[in-house]
């Protein structure tokens, strides 16, 4: 049939300018059916939108009958049809055959069906209108085909390629299609700058055998208002870059492929997940922007070695990154702003979460039953609940993070977690800095916890926990060993200007305090209604009270420096304690005292003389060095010749003098004496003796 000569449909990006009224009538299309929706009248839709929904159709063209669908198999048939239809081009790379300016309506067949060809073909500036039951462009076992600047609307599948090589699909306008693009077993191809609008699924890349789909580049496309998946990837070595996803109801990008790169994409107002890695291996999700989504920005399940890096997340009511049963993933150098949860992982193995900045999250990092995690060098700002949560799992390491102004917890570890470590973190203005509960062999070490706050470090229900070399400043409670904590070891570090420095609470099991400095607290160390602890080699200076025992028995207080406090040792209903080899020097102003005992008889103030280096460098372990001991040491063995009793009590404590042990005070049978026989002058309360360095 002789066809009237037509101008191409100059769709491009800017020239969809005329109506489709006469074209629809000539094609006999009537209405189009939207996917999962009511019938669409193209005329009404164009009028409502104030534009053409399909393409540029002139009044002259509208009077011409639409083109017939074309089905072409093999290069010879393609050359013959090109000659018959007057299509230009020789099929060489520099001169492709141009299938151009066709206007094809739906009749149940594919509009263009090209099969078993290798000639270079350019399908350009065509208008295809479907009825929801037919396909647009179908390419089977072809190579070297470019599909560009076409408008395809209302089809079942707008562009389909199976077993194709070296395809280019670019700058097409695909509207209201059930599937805009489906590529099956396609290799070394590109999908670039297409507009996909209001259909169900955008781009589906599938493989029927391992390695049959590989190396597709998907770049600078726009996917708007889709009900299903924007892009779904199988196969390997695909790149998804600089695409934009807006107002989608389903997943933006779903990856079950190997070695896929998702780079520089933008996701806005997505109802569904932004990027889903489902069984993916070696995926890279880098430098993307996620904004105002209603679901997870990135969801992982059974993924291997995923890298999530350099992304920005804003205003998400759910978890930005959510993973289940993943292995060896890395979440690095991302920026999370105003999200419900930044990173949530369940049952993951060996994840690394590092160098992220998380601002205003409810719970920033939440790890449940995770093994081998490292959470390192992140910045957490203004979390409305907690910065880092660990529930269960093993060998989780939280290190070198900065936490500022979390509303409740800086780090919370619970749920039977085993061998967790919280080390070298810095925390500011967080009520509960580090809270470890129901955990085994936890290590809390070398952290800096600034106040103001409620409790800097809490160990409750732990077994074998160690708190080592922490620096704590300006809290109501510096370090608390609470109910159910057993075999706890607190060693090294500095606590300064806390109301209560270290507290061992009722119900706590055996605890060892070793080589800790507690300065300028209201009460340095408190042990209440629990027994059997060791207080060894502490530096207790410039406190209101240095050591308070309440209903606590069978403790050992040995080799401590207790200096410059308003009150050194205060025992209330505390008996059977062993206090020896301590330096006790606490008189500066009237009312300061070394010892006050209330209903606390039967404590031991020295041990039998035995060789060993004592608290002042002498050669015998026996009693304590008391600053106000004035007895002689005739044999010069460093031990006083007469027992020590404290000086009389001041009127400040007259109300407790009725107790039998108070008038005479403790009795140290072997008080220590300096080799030079000089009195040890007490240090003044509240004045540090050496500069105190407290890291910022």
């Amino acid at each position: 049939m002789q066809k009237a000569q037509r101008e191409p449909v100059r769709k491009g990006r800017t020239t969809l300018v005329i109506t489709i009224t006469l074209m629809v009538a000539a094609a006999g299309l009537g209405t189009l059916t939207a996917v999962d929706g009511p019938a669409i009248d193209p005329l009404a839709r164009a009028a409502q939108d104030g534009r053409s929904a399909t393409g540029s159709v002139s009044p002259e063209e509208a009077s011409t009958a639409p083109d017939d669908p074309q089905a072409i198999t093999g290069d010879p048939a393609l050359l013959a049809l090109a000659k018959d239809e007057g299509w230009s081009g020789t099929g060489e790379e520099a001169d492709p055959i141009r299938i151009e300016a066709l206007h094809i309506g739906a009749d149940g067949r594919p509009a263009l069906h090209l099969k078993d060809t290798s000639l270079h073909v350019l399908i350009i500036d065509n208008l295809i209108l479907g009825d929801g039951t037919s396909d647009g462009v179908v390419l089977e076992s072809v190579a070297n085909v470019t599909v560009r600047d076409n408008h395809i609307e209302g089809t079942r599948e707008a562009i389909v390629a199976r077993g194709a090589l070296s395809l280019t699909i670019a700058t097409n306008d695909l509207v209201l299609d059930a599937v805009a693009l489906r590529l099956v077993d396609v290799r070394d191809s590109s999908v670039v700058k297409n507009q996909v609008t209001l259909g169900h699924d955008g781009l589906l890349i599938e493989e029927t055998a391992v390695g049959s789909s590989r190396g597709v580049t998907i770049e600078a496309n726009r996917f708007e208002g889709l009900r299903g998946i924007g892009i779904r990837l199988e196969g390997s070595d695909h790149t998804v870059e600089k695409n934009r996803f807006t107002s989608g109801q389903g997943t933006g990008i779903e990856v079950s492929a190997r070695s896929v790169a998702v780079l520089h994409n933008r996701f806005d107002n997505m109802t569904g997940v932004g990027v889903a890695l489902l069984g993916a291996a070696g995926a890279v999700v880098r430098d993307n922007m996620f904004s105002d989504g209603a679901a997870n920005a990135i969801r992982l399940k059974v993924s291997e070695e995923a890298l999530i890096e350099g992304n920005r997340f804003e205003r998400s009511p759910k978890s930005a990154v959510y993973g289940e049963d993943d292995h060896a993933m890395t979440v690095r150098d991302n920026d999370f702003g105003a999200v419900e949860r930044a990173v949530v992982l369940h049952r993951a193995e060996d994840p690394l979460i590092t160098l992220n900045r998380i601002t205003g999250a409810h719970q920033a990092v939440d790890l449940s039953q995770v093994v081998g995690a490292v959470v390192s060098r992140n910045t957490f700002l203004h979390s409305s609940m907690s910065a880092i949560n660990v529930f269960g799992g093993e060998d989780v390491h939280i290190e070198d993070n900065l936490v500022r102004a979390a509303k409740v917890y800086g780090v919370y570890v619970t749920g039977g977690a085993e061998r967790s470590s919280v080390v070298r973190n810095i925390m500011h203005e967080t009520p509960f800095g580090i809270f470890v509960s129901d955990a085994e062999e936890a290590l809390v070490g070398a952290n800096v916890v600034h106040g103001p706050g409620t409790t800097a470090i809490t160990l409750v229900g732990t077994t074998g926990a160690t708190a080592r070399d922490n620096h704590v400043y300006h809290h109501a409670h510096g370090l608390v060993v609470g109910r159910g904590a057993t075999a706890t070891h607190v060693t090294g570090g500095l606590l300064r200007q806390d109301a209560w420095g270290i507290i061992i609470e009722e119900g706590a099991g055996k605890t060892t305090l070793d080589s800790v400095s507690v300065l300028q607290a209201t009460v340095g160390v408190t042990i209440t209604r629990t027994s059997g602890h060791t207080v060894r080699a502490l530096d207790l200076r410039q406190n209101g009270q240095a050591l308070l025992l309440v209903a606590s028995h069978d403790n050992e207080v040995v080799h401590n420096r207790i200096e410059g406090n308003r009150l050194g040792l205060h025992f209330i209903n505390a008996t059977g304690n062993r206090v020896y080899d301590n330096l006790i020097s606490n008189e500066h102003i009237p009312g300061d005292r070394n010892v006050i005992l209330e209903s606390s008889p039967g404590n031991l103030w020295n041990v039998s003389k035995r060789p060993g280096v004592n608290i002042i460098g002498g050669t015998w372990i026996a009693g304590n060095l008391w600053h106000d001991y004035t007895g002689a040491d005739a044999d010069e063995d460093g031990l006083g010749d007469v027992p020590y009793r404290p000086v009389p009590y001041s009127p400040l404590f007259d109300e407790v003098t009725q107790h039998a042990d108070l008038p005479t005070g403790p009795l140290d049978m072997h008080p220590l004496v300096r080799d030079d026989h000089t009195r040890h002058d007490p240090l003044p309360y509240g004045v540090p003796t050496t500069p105190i360095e407290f890291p910022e």
Side-chain angles (χ1 to χ4, degrees), residues 482-607:
R483 182 177 295 276
T486 59
T488 305
H489 193 189
V490 180
T491 179
L494 168 67
L495 293 87
R496 185 168 65 126
Q497 292 188 8
D498 304 295
W500 301 76
I502 298 174
I503 303 174
I504 303 177
E505 294 182 329
E506 181 178 5
K510 181 175 176 57
T511 300
T512 298
L513 307 182
D514 191 351
S515 305
V516 185
S517 294
V518 184
L519 309 179
Q520 301 170 336
T522 303
V523 181
V525 175
T526 303
I527 304 176
T528 178
R529 295 180 175 83
T530 178
S531 302
H533 309 291
T534 299
V535 180
R536 179 174 59 219
L538 269 58
D539 185 3
L540 303 175
R541 289 180 287 157
Q542 297 97 45
N543 302 289
Q545 299 183 45
L547 174 61
L548 172 64
L549 302 185
V550 179
S552 182
H553 318 290
D554 195 31
N555 302 292
E556 184 168 83
V557 181
V558 58
H559 207 71
N560 301 284
R561 295 177 64 90
I562 304 173
E563 297 186 83
N565 307 283
R566 295 298 308 274
L567 173 57
L569 307 176
H570 188 182
F571 290 7
I572 304 173
N573 297 318
T575 61
N577 300 288
R578 299 173 299 284
V579 183
Y580 65 95
D581 196 35
N582 301 282
L583 190 160
I584 304 174
S585 177
N586 299 284
E587 184 176 25
H588 175 57
I589 62 175
D592 290 359
R593 285 294 176 266
N594 284 330
V595 180
I596 292 180
L597 303 178
E598 300 182 42
S599 301
S600 299
N603 295 291
L604 181 67
W605 299 91
N606 60 269
V607 295

Side-chain angles (χ1 to χ4, degrees), residues 573 597-600 655-664:
N573 297 318
L597 303 178
E598 300 182 42
S599 301
S600 299
E655 66 271 17
V656 295
T657 57
Q658 68 268 25
H659 298 292
D661 55 330
L662 283 176
T664 56

Side-chain angles (χ1 to χ4, degrees), residues 68-118:
D68 295 326
Q70 301 288 348
I72 306 165
T73 301
D75 288 338
L78 174 59
L79 289 169
L81 185 61
K83 182 179 180 180
D84 181 57
E85 295 289 334
W87 298 339
S88 64
T90 62
E92 299 297 324
E93 182 175 3
D95 187 22
I97 295 172
R98 295 173 68 93
I99 302 176
E100 183 175 12
L102 301 178
H103 301 168
I104 302 176
D107 69 353
R109 295 174 294 169
L112 293 173
H113 189 173
L114 194 62
K115 182 177 180 181
D116 297 331
T117 67
S118 60

